[in-house]
Amino acid sequence: MPAIIGPVQIVNVSGGVVQFGDTVYISPKSASKTNAGSGAFNTGGFIVANSGLNGTNVLDTNVIDQPIAGNN
């Protein structure tokens, strides 16, 4: 079914999907991977993270995690 869309203003997109109207297939156009240790992504006004000795395993045996080459 067609969709009637009025004026749209997108100021900032830092991730996610924007969809207008009917969609059969949505696929990502970018992919990334982040490795971080214990307590790395804590947010707030007062943070105390006591993690002791920390090690982050960054060995990735998968060659391709999210293939995006054919999604153009």
Side-chain angles (χ1 to χ4, degrees), residues 11-48:
V11 178
N12 185 11
V13 175
S14 62
V17 176
V18 177
Q19 172 187 342
F20 298 104
D22 298 335
T23 302
V24 174
Y25 182 70
I26 297 176
S27 62
K29 300 299 179 198
S30 66
S32 64
K33 182 180 287 190
T34 303
N35 297 315
S38 174
F41 294 119
N42 289 333
T43 59
F46 181 73
I47 302 279
V48 176

Side-chain angles (χ1 to χ4, degrees), residues 45-71:
F46 181 73
I47 302 279
V48 176
N50 298 319
S51 61
L53 183 63
N54 180 25
T56 301
N57 182 10
V58 295
L59 177 64
D60 185 15
T61 58
N62 298 343
V63 177
I64 299 174
D65 292 326
Q66 176 66 51
I68 60 171
N71 294 335

Side-chain angles (χ1 to χ4, degrees), residues 1-17:
M1 224 173 160
I4 299 173
I5 299 182
V8 175
Q9 179 183 12
I10 300 175
V11 178
N12 185 11
V13 175
S14 62
V17 176

